[in-house]
Amino acid sequence: LRRLKAEPVIIPAMGSHGGGTAEGQRQLLRMYGISEETMGASILSSMDVTSLGRTPEGIPVVLDKKATEADAILLVNRIKPHTGFAGRIGSGLLKMTAFGLGNHRGAAICHEAVMQHGYERVIRAVSVHVLARAQILGGLAILENSDGGLAEVVALAAGRLVLGEQRLFLRARRWASRLPFDDI
């Protein structure tokens, strides 16, 4: 990014994780080895959000204020099955766009909307809304092998995020660890 004359910053996009606080999310990043020192980039952690309107379903959409002020956003996240729901997508770049980039407020809004619409519909509706209104360039999708190690990193342009993640999710689901029998 710097070779392209960009000045990258890291904005945690963890929704309510880390206690839903800016410092809690900084601490989580540190646990993963991500700090200003190790990454050579500033970490701008805040719970401030900006409204981006509503989805056609009426779901309010908010985005991290620092992210809305950035010239461009490049998402980075693992693609993997979610432990709380099953669908054609799981945890990944789209869920991060819907739940994570909205910080604690956005995650609370999305979790409430899930009660009426279900996880996958909320993720799709909110992420498509954000993709249409924020300066998202694309994302780096990280896939893990069955041991939780790095298997593959795939770059997806913003216009290919939805279908690309769906395709990668199938692969991630095949590679995920699972018990070798159905009945426990």
Side-chain angles (χ1 to χ4, degrees), residues 59 85 99 110 113-123:
I59 304 167
F85 70 93
F99 284 73
C110 286
V114 161
M115 304 306 279
Q116 180 178 357
H117 303 290
Y119 270 103
E120 188 166 347
R121 185 169 175 199
V122 169
I123 291 169

Side-chain angles (χ1 to χ4, degrees), residues 38 44-45 54-55 71-72 74 76 79 82 138 148 155-156 181-182:
T38 60
L44 307 179
S45 188
R54 290 177 176 268
T55 69
D71 294 328
L74 179 64
V76 180
I79 307 292
H82 192 277
L156 297 169
F181 41 84
D182 293 330

Side-chain angles (χ1 to χ4, degrees), residues 90-157:
S91 289
L93 298 168
L94 298 176
K95 184 172 180 279
M96 171 190 267
T97 304
F99 284 73
L101 274 174
N103 295 333
H104 188 267
R105 177 77 187 122
I109 290 168
C110 286
H111 280 111
E112 185 176 322
V114 161
M115 304 306 279
Q116 180 178 357
H117 303 290
Y119 270 103
E120 188 166 347
R121 185 169 175 199
V122 169
I123 291 169
R124 288 179 183 278
V126 174
S127 63
V128 165
H129 190 87
V130 171
L131 287 167
R133 287 161 182 78
Q135 298 300 318
I136 296 179
L137 293 177
L140 294 177
I142 301 167
L143 285 82
E144 297 176 339
N145 61 27
S146 61
D147 296 325
L150 179 64
E152 188 175 3
V153 177
V154 179
L156 297 169

Side-chain angles (χ1 to χ4, degrees), residues 40-92:
S42 297
I43 296 176
L44 307 179
S45 188
S46 166
M47 290 295 115
D48 296 334
V49 294
T50 300
S51 173
L52 296 184
R54 290 177 176 268
T55 69
E57 295 83 357
I59 304 167
V61 179
V62 297
L63 190 72
D64 181 279
K65 187 173 185 333
K66 296 289 186 188
T68 62
E69 295 169 353
D71 294 328
I73 301 166
L74 179 64
L75 305 166
V76 180
N77 200 15
R78 295 179 296 183
I79 307 292
K80 64 180 193 158
H82 192 277
T83 56
F85 70 93
R88 293 177 297 151
I89 57 171
S91 289

